[in-house]
Amino acid sequence: MAIVACVGALGSAAFTASASRRAARVEDSKVDAAAYDRAKQIYESALQTLEEQLTRLRERMAELNDQLAREQDTSAAMRTQVRDLREQVDLLEDTVADLRLQLSKAGIESEHEEEGAETS
């Protein structure tokens, strides 16, 4: 009878140890699952934040591209105006030179020549 009791006690101990190991594995699985869920939430939150930042950066880049295009248009228009003004200045200088030559041929001194003669 002692042997039966001893075998029963050993069987009970083995069953308890096995149940304890299974319970520990279940707890480990629960801990792993909880850690996974927390990590997943953190990564998803970080991903969402990065996507929002990317959207804002793309919007800002589009705004800057629009502004750059406007600035380039303005710059091109100003360069055209400067070129036109230079051409006008050149034409006016040629006209002034022609008028001075005509005055000189007519024997008339221009005011510019009279001022130069007075200061000499």
Side-chain angles (χ1 to χ4, degrees):
M1 182 93 122
I3 294 177
V4 174
C6 187
V7 170
L10 287 176
S12 177
F15 178 76
T16 302
S18 175
S20 177
R21 282 192 300 272
R22 278 194 301 265
R25 280 195 300 262
V26 168
E27 283 301 314
D28 288 346
S29 294
K30 287 180 183 177
V31 169
D32 289 346
Y36 172 80
D37 288 341
R38 283 193 306 274
K40 183 179 174 185
Q41 289 173 348
I42 290 168
Y43 288 127
E44 286 177 348
S45 175
L47 183 60
Q48 181 179 0
T49 300
L50 290 173
E51 287 173 346
E52 290 168 358
Q53 288 176 351
L54 181 60
T55 299
R56 286 193 300 270
L57 285 173
R58 284 182 176 155
E59 290 170 355
R60 182 67 178 137
M61 191 169 93
E63 291 171 6
L64 290 174
N65 283 336
D66 290 345
Q67 182 180 355
L68 177 61
R70 287 191 305 272
E71 295 292 338
Q72 288 173 334
D73 290 345
T74 301
S75 177
M78 291 177 115
R79 281 194 301 274
T80 301
Q81 287 179 336
V82 166
R83 189 178 341 103
D84 291 347
L85 289 171
R86 283 183 182 155
E87 290 173 3
Q88 287 179 2
V89 166
D90 290 343
L91 288 173
L92 288 172
E93 286 175 346
D94 291 344
T95 302
V96 167
D98 287 345
L99 290 173
R100 282 190 180 142
L101 181 63
Q102 289 175 13
L103 287 173
S104 174
K105 285 182 181 179
I108 302 172
E109 283 189 39
S110 68
E111 288 182 20
H112 178 69
E113 291 175 349
E114 288 175 3
E115 289 174 5
E118 291 176 4
T119 58
S120 309

